[in-house]
Amino acid sequence: MSRLLVALAALLLTPAAARAEGGCEQWIAPALAEGPVTFGFLSADVATGRRACPRTEVGFGVQGSAIIETQNLYGAVTGAGLLSGSFAVRPDLEIFATLEALRFQYVQNASLTGTRMSLGQLTVGGTYVALASGAFVLSPSVRLQLPTSFASPRTRTLGAEIGAAALYRPTNRFEVHGYAGVDGSLGLGAADPLPQAGLLVNVGTEYALFSGFAAVLDANVHFGHRAALDYVAPAVGLRFRAGEHFGAELGASLPVLGAERALAAGGLKLTYRM
């Protein structure tokens, strides 16, 4: 017991910057992406898992989803051009943001067709490495969804999410990651605000076959927005790098259970890590 107390005291008294090392420093290539696949079913990166380790990078990407319900004579396609970035203020602290710089929506039913292009949602947030012990890292995170979207002409959406990301990386080419977060949102406008709350649980693994390529397999479960169970959705990602700074990720997520109407969601993201 005394040894356990001494070890706990040493962990708490170690400077934060030093605690941020360990698992976060063991990835096989700096430009190769880490953590969960971040292409989800909501705006920008809302209700998607976060990585545990801080990075400084800028990115551009596209993502989209599709609903096709032939029995209801209804279809909808949504796409977005994403600008993203993160800044490691310290080895244990990251701030990040994602903007839907252009959001495209196409909807058709039995008699009507509609197309709309607009500015989309902006999210900003931060991640703090609270615990780094050997191969294990635990990082609480907060994310705000700001009311920037013009996708709905008379309504702006405001939201927030709080959660924690976990990482276990026993070698420099294999990791197990996870994320759990509670999110909420409401509409600002003349209509009913329709508040929503949800819970996301993510568990996944990533393996780098070599320093230039890694594959990711995730499982995502979300509760509470559209129904008690919004979706159970496996996700896959293929990650590449070119040199020391450029990386790319191709990912997709497929809901297999729950109330989610989209057939699939996916996208492509290019990053430059500084």
Side-chain angles (χ1 to χ4, degrees):
M1 179 62 72
S2 61
R3 291 184 179 180
L4 178 61
L5 293 175
V6 170
L8 180 60
L11 176 64
L12 295 175
L13 293 175
T14 302
R19 293 205 311 269
E21 298 179 358
C24 286
E25 300 299 316
Q26 298 302 316
W27 196 221
I28 191 170
L32 202 60
E34 309 170 60
V37 175
T38 58
F39 301 114
F41 301 99
L42 301 178
S43 301
D45 59 349
V46 174
T48 61
R50 286 297 305 175
R51 62 174 179 258
C53 298
R55 296 167 64 114
T56 297
E57 66 183 21
V58 293
F60 167 77
V62 292
Q63 72 174 22
S65 62
I67 301 173
I68 301 176
E69 299 177 346
T70 54
Q71 71 278 16
N72 297 323
L73 299 178
Y74 176 83
V77 175
T78 300
L82 302 178
L83 298 176
S84 61
S86 60
F87 177 62
V89 181
R90 303 189 315 239
D92 65 325
L93 179 64
E94 175 191 89
I95 56 176
F96 58 85
T98 299
L99 172 66
E100 290 179 319
L102 178 64
R103 183 176 178 85
F104 169 82
Q105 295 172 295
Y106 172 82
V107 179
Q108 180 176 359
N109 61 21
S111 57
L112 298 174
T113 298
T115 301
R116 184 176 182 84
M117 289 189 292
S118 65
L119 178 68
Q121 215 64 56
L122 170 65
T123 63
V124 297
T127 300
Y128 173 68
V129 179
L131 174 64
S133 178
F136 180 76
V137 181
L138 179 65
S139 303
S141 178
V142 63
R143 176 164 40 198
L144 301 178
Q145 183 181 181
L146 302 181
T148 58
S149 177
F150 289 87
S152 298
R154 292 174 293 275
T155 303
R156 303 290 177 266
T157 301
L158 177 66
E161 180 179 337
I162 184 169
L167 170 70
Y168 177 68
R169 183 177 288 158
T171 75
N172 69 346
R173 64 174 65 227
F174 173 75
E175 70 174 44
V176 177
H177 52 251
Y179 176 84
V182 177
D183 63 87
S185 64
L186 54 83
L188 304 177
D192 191 319
L194 298 176
Q196 293 181 321
L199 168 66
L200 171 71
V201 178
N202 161 273
V203 178
T205 184
E206 179 172 8
Y207 180 73
L209 276 73
F210 50 92
S211 66
F213 173 74
V216 189
L217 178 61
D218 284 349
N220 297 290
V221 183
H222 195 275
F223 306 90
H225 276 191
R226 298 175 179 85
L229 176 62
D230 291 320
Y231 56 80
V232 176
V236 294
L238 302 177
R239 293 169 172 173
F240 310 86
R241 73 172 181 93
E244 295 299 318
H245 299 283
F246 289 98
E249 176 178 11
L250 182 65
S253 183
L254 177 69
V256 294
L257 290 174
E260 176 58 51
R261 298 168 65 191
L263 292 178
L268 171 67
K269 184 178 182 181
L270 307 176
T271 58
Y272 179 85
R273 185 170 186 183
M274 302 175 190

